[in-house]
Amino acid sequence: MKLSLDAMGGDNAPDINIDGAKQALDQVDSLEKLYLVGDEAELKRRCDAAGFGVDPRLEIVHAPEVVGMDESGLVAVRQKKHSSMSIAVDLVKDGVCDAVLSAGNTGAEVAACTIKLRLLQGVERAGIVSPIPNSRGYLLVSDTGANPDAKPSHLVGYAVMSAMMARYIYGIPEPRVAVMSNGTEDCKGSDFSKETHRLLRHLADKQLLPFQFIGNREGHDLFESDMDVALTDGFTGNILLKTIEATAKTFSHMIKDGIKKSPIAMVGALGMRGVFRSIGGRLNADSVGGCPLMGVKGVSIIAHGSASARAILNATRMAEGMCRHSVNSRIVDAMAPINEELRHLAEEESVK
């Protein structure tokens, strides 16, 4: 795999990207080439100081501009054509790299990848797939921010893309996919969710889905049920994701404060130290590394703005898995008969 890394993206750039790049070159055997994109002189100095500036697998690509975390994504892509993010995406567009990774401005990466890389054949909208830890491992939620004004047919595409990720990256042979709603009954939900349910049920009856459609699920099912993929629009999904992140942080602070107030609790905490460390590791976004923007040509991984070097390493591993398993080509193959059936269905309904 050849990877382009936006070295100037993220709250703690470029340090975490340089450290993450070094770890990736050391630990990801199939990483054939890593293109570090940013201020050439600064990156060269820092890579030399870190002891891997002469690694033949490393190449620094100069980019004089940086997209700020608070900038409008679309405006930044149009006005900063020489930003580290834009040039990193261009390396994939031009066929130099297989994947791009950035911990920078999410909106800018979504815009850059959608505009420059274009969509896979048969995919109507790209979607961000976010792995959320639960009692069974990880639940994939899509979309979590790429497309706030989704249509039901877009969620059909998210279902297929997320199911391919669940199967080939997380090793789930027959992913269980559900639509997020305010009740499990088929009649529950908004017009949007009910139409999504109807389309997926129709396709399931035609045996065209590469996964098991299990109907509607509610919010508590994110952590308690056996579904593997949860479908929603990008507006709701982004709020859901950030609420979960904030809730986890709040409970962590509350537990720590409670322990500090009691000597007995502090003694007990020492015995639970390994458990707390294990839980904290699973809840930490760095353990996943990043979220793929699925549906674009090429592989795009979006890391958290506060990502660490460990996150960059794990995001590189995710990109490697997406490339090695040819997830994009599997999405294209799966979407072809589905889109054909959806066209037939639309034609039949237009006649009625």
Side-chain angles (χ1 to χ4, degrees):
M1 177 187 71
K2 295 179 181 179
L3 173 73
S4 63
L5 172 58
D6 170 17
M8 311 310 288
D11 298 335
N12 302 304
D15 294 336
I16 60 103
N17 293 306
I18 291 171
D19 291 345
K22 185 177 188 301
Q23 292 182 31
L25 288 169
D26 287 341
Q27 299 182 44
V28 182
D29 294 336
S30 62
L31 184 55
E32 179 184 349
K33 193 84 173 180
L34 193 154
Y35 293 83
L36 207 56
V37 186
D39 183 277
E40 185 175 14
E42 182 179 4
L43 294 180
K44 182 67 168 66
R45 177 177 59 81
R46 289 174 180 262
C47 289
D48 287 343
F52 72 113
V54 295
D55 191 316
R57 295 170 298 164
L58 176 70
E59 184 169 329
I60 295 174
V61 179
H62 183 59
E65 297 177 313
V66 177
V67 175
M69 298 297 279
D70 58 349
E71 293 187 61
S72 165
L74 187 58
V75 172
V77 171
R78 288 175 174 170
Q79 295 183 351
K80 291 187 173 180
K81 299 184 185 298
H82 301 291
S83 70
S84 57
M85 181 177 291
S86 285
I87 292 177
V89 174
D90 283 338
L91 289 171
V92 177
K93 182 189 72 172
D94 296 338
V96 176
C97 291
D98 307 298
V100 57
L101 165 59
S102 176
N105 185 312
T106 297
E109 184 167 1
V110 171
C113 290
T114 303
I115 293 170
K116 293 172 178 288
L117 304 183
R118 303 297 182 182
L119 298 175
L120 292 171
Q121 183 178 350
V123 172
E124 292 185 0
R125 289 290 188 279
I128 299 173
V129 183
S130 295
I132 296 176
N134 62 14
S135 59
R136 299 177 63 246
Y138 285 96
L139 168 74
L140 305 184
V141 181
S142 187
D143 171 33
T144 54
N147 181 18
D149 299 312
K151 298 178 181 178
S153 59
H154 299 165
L155 265 65
V156 173
Y158 299 159
V160 172
M161 293 187 288
S162 300
M164 293 297 104
M165 182 176 172
R167 177 176 297 169
Y168 294 103
I169 304 304
Y170 287 93
I172 302 170
E174 189 176 6
R176 294 166 59 87
V177 179
V179 177
M180 294 306 299
S181 186
N182 62 338
T184 58
E185 299 86 354
D186 292 358
C187 61
K188 289 288 183 71
S190 62
D191 291 342
F192 170 76
S193 65
K194 285 189 284 189
E195 176 63 9
T196 301
H197 184 286
R198 185 183 76 88
L199 293 179
L200 287 168
R201 180 61 65 197
H202 174 84
L203 293 167
D205 291 342
K206 294 286 186 177
Q207 298 184 337
L208 292 174
L209 296 178
F211 53 82
Q212 183 180 355
F213 178 55
I214 59 174
N216 290 337
R217 290 295 183 271
E218 300 179 76
H220 60 78
D221 292 314
L222 291 168
F223 303 99
E224 297 177 353
S225 79
D226 58 352
M227 69 172 165
D228 302 300
V229 174
L231 301 175
T232 185
D233 61 278
F235 179 81
T236 305
N238 189 263
I239 293 174
L240 181 152
L241 180 65
K242 291 177 179 177
T243 300
I244 291 172
E245 291 174 345
T247 301
K249 289 181 181 178
T250 298
F251 271 102
S252 176
H253 292 318
M254 291 171 66
I255 291 171
K256 289 179 181 178
D257 290 342
I259 290 173
K260 291 177 181 178
K261 292 177 182 178
S262 168
I264 295 176
M266 291 180 70
V267 173
L270 288 174
M272 293 287 289
R273 185 166 48 189
V275 175
F276 288 147
R277 187 180 296 115
S278 176
I279 293 174
R282 289 201 64 217
L283 293 177
N284 192 328
D286 290 351
S287 63
V288 172
C291 303
L293 174 66
M294 301 192 72
V296 296
K297 296 177 181 177
V299 172
S300 171
I301 307 295
I302 301 172
H304 203 284
S306 59
S308 67
R310 176 174 170 241
I312 299 302
L313 168 62
N314 287 329
T316 301
R317 286 173 170 153
M318 179 176 287
E320 189 278 334
M322 299 280 286
C323 293
R324 175 162 44 87
H325 290 289
S326 302
V327 172
N328 280 350
S329 64
R330 298 179 190 278
I331 291 170
V332 172
D333 291 342
M335 288 302 301
I338 288 174
N339 284 329
E340 184 66 23
E341 179 59 31
L342 290 178
R343 281 192 290 270
H344 288 160
L345 181 63
E347 290 171 359
E348 290 174 0
E349 292 177 346
S350 67
V351 174
K352 294 180 182 179

